[in-house]
Amino acid sequence: MRPVQRRQQNLQYGLYLLFMQAVNIGVDKISPATLIGVILQALLYMGLIKVPWNAEDACISAVKIFKYRDWRSFIVSNFEHGSDMHLYYNMVSFILKGTYLEVKYGTPNFVLLIALFSIGCSSMFVFLAYALMQFTGDYGYYTMCAIGFSSVLFALKVLTICEEDDRYRDVGGLRVPSRLSIWVELVLIYLLVPNSSFVGHLGGILVGCLYCYTSVGELIDNLIYMITGVPIIHEEQFYRRRILSFR
């Protein structure tokens, strides 16, 4: 999402909705790292975690990385949000996907996977923005700035789909095969949410695809195993999809 003015101190509606959604799901049912991630991002948005930057200055862009070497935005842009509703939708999605994957992989493995996905999504955003600028000649791609956890969430969505059996999903009232649902959602969000970052969301999908369908995923799994000593075990269909992609 493109950054906007943030951090009014009063309680905003999106924060209230997020709290109510967490209560309805059951705070005790949300995995620990996922819950902590939601709380920290909410506190960061509210300004209760004191940081030496403003949300609107933390956004990531190709020009900030290549020209100004603003490496801070490379990391923190994923965890800032431009509005309370932006935070709400992202955190509800994170609760659902994060809890599922954290239980499946284990908390230490999941935390490391989130960290690697964050780095990967920032890298992919900068690469796509630079490539589009070169391809189209539009300097706007080079300077466009984005914040939010959405790109990481799109990577997690791809991963969740890869772990599940093939089935149909409801996306905006459309019934589509799960393997296509992520692309339909990408287009719908682009059309219906004016401030959304199409390049950021696309980058998240590509990061998820690299993990699920290429040997990059094996390298990441092996790296995480070396650090935690606990292997990431995927469902049979996940390995089947990865094998088929090599043929």
Side-chain angles (χ1 to χ4, degrees):
M1 183 176 182
R2 299 186 186 97
V4 295
Q5 193 71 25
R6 67 109 186 237
R7 286 191 185 144
Q8 300 173 12
Q9 291 302 320
N10 58 305
L11 182 63
Q12 299 178 54
Y13 187 56
L15 295 169
Y16 169 76
L17 289 177
L18 176 58
F19 174 77
M20 294 305 300
Q21 191 68 43
V23 171
N24 289 336
I25 293 172
V27 176
D28 59 315
K29 296 179 180 179
I30 304 174
S31 297
T34 301
L35 180 60
I36 291 172
V38 171
I39 292 173
L40 289 178
Q41 290 186 67
L43 293 176
L44 181 62
Y45 173 77
M46 295 169 66
L48 297 179
I49 296 179
K50 302 303 179 183
V51 291
W53 64 80
N54 296 318
E56 53 271 20
D57 298 328
C59 64
I60 187 171
S61 68
V63 68
K64 289 176 72 174
I65 298 301
F66 288 129
K67 184 175 181 180
Y68 299 108
R69 301 294 191 270
D70 184 2
W71 302 113
R72 181 178 65 188
S73 67
F74 196 84
I75 302 298
V76 303
S77 60
N78 287 307
F79 305 103
E80 289 280 7
H81 289 84
S83 72
D84 58 323
M85 295 307 296
H86 185 208
L87 175 73
Y88 165 69
Y89 287 119
N90 276 357
M91 293 303 97
V92 170
S93 179
F94 184 43
I95 287 172
L96 298 176
K97 294 169 182 62
T99 295
Y100 167 72
L101 294 171
E102 184 177 347
V103 169
K104 185 173 188 58
Y105 299 153
T107 296
N109 288 348
F110 178 70
V111 170
L112 283 173
L113 190 61
I114 289 292
L116 293 172
F117 273 9
S118 297
I119 295 172
C121 288
S122 292
S123 301
M124 187 65 73
F125 177 85
V126 170
F127 168 77
L128 289 175
Y130 181 79
L132 285 169
M133 185 268 291
Q134 293 289 340
F135 181 75
T136 66
D138 186 351
Y139 194 73
Y141 286 112
Y142 193 58
T143 58
M144 66 179 177
C145 226
I147 57 174
F149 203 59
S150 304
S151 59
V152 177
L153 288 173
F154 268 90
L156 293 179
K157 290 176 186 180
V158 174
L159 179 52
T160 301
I161 291 171
C162 288
E163 292 284 8
E164 297 176 343
D165 293 320
D166 290 327
R167 59 186 179 89
Y168 280 81
R169 287 171 169 255
D170 190 316
V171 182
L174 301 174
R175 293 281 292 173
V176 295
S178 58
R179 64 182 179 277
L180 298 178
S181 63
I182 193 72
W183 300 103
V184 174
E185 185 174 351
L186 172 69
V187 174
L188 286 178
I189 291 178
Y190 173 71
L191 294 175
L192 299 176
V193 185
N195 285 329
S196 64
S197 173
F198 179 84
V199 174
H201 295 169
L202 175 60
I205 292 176
L206 295 179
V207 168
C209 289
L210 283 173
Y211 178 79
C212 293
Y213 299 116
T214 75
S215 58
V216 172
E218 291 187 46
L219 294 175
I220 290 175
D221 285 351
N222 290 335
L223 174 62
I224 292 175
Y225 175 59
M226 288 175 58
I227 295 173
T228 67
V230 179
I232 289 181
I233 305 299
H234 300 287
E235 295 293 335
E236 180 180 350
Q237 57 268 17
F238 180 97
Y239 293 112
R240 186 166 61 247
R241 291 186 177 105
R242 182 177 283 176
I243 291 172
L244 289 175
S245 66
F246 292 144
R247 293 182 178 178

